[in-house]
């Protein structure tokens, strides 16, 4: 099976069916992202919503880094979904 490669993402096979959501998690975002990856999720949802405090992308990255450091997942086994917001399409 072929892999799709980009500078920030390696996807092997198909997009996972279950994706861990990260919206409106506040100060627990990093902890919850790491926990979801430890629990078996292989995909994390992030997004670009500049006018809302919906997503904390720095905390999402910290959670992913913590799971990788703990040996829970390898980076190439994690799918990060980051759709653009409608507002970012028009700026």
């Amino acid at each position: 099976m072929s892999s799709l490669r980009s500078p920030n993402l390696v996807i092997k096979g198909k997009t996972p069916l279950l994706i861990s959501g990260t919206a409106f998690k506040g100060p627990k975002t990093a902890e919850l992202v790491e926990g979801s990856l430890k629990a078996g999720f292989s995909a994390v949802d992030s997004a670009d919503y500049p006018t809302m405090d919906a997503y904390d992308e720095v905390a999402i990255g910290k959670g992913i880094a913590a799971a990788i450091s703990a040996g829970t997942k390898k980076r190439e086994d994690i799918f990060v979904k980051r759709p653009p917001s409608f507002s970012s399409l028009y700026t």
Side-chain angles (χ1 to χ4, degrees):
M1 203 176 291
S2 66
S3 294
L4 171 64
R5 293 182 181 267
S6 72
N8 300 314
L9 177 65
V10 177
I11 306 167
K12 293 181 180 179
K14 298 180 181 178
T15 304
L17 292 175
L18 295 175
I19 299 174
S20 178
T22 60
F24 301 105
K25 301 298 187 262
K28 291 193 167 239
T29 299
E31 175 187 347
L32 293 170
V33 168
E34 180 183 7
S36 69
L37 293 169
K38 285 183 177 181
F41 280 86
S42 60
V44 176
D45 181 27
S46 179
D48 176 21
Y49 290 104
T51 59
M52 298 170 55
D53 290 330
Y55 295 90
D56 182 347
E57 291 184 316
V58 171
I60 293 166
K62 288 180 180 180
I64 291 170
I68 292 169
S69 293
T72 302
K73 298 273 187 204
K74 294 179 181 176
R75 175 59 188 98
E76 59 266 20
D77 296 328
I78 301 171
F79 178 89
V80 179
K81 177 181 164 274
R82 187 182 186 278
S85 67
F86 288 111
S87 63
S88 68
L89 295 174
Y90 298 104
T91 56

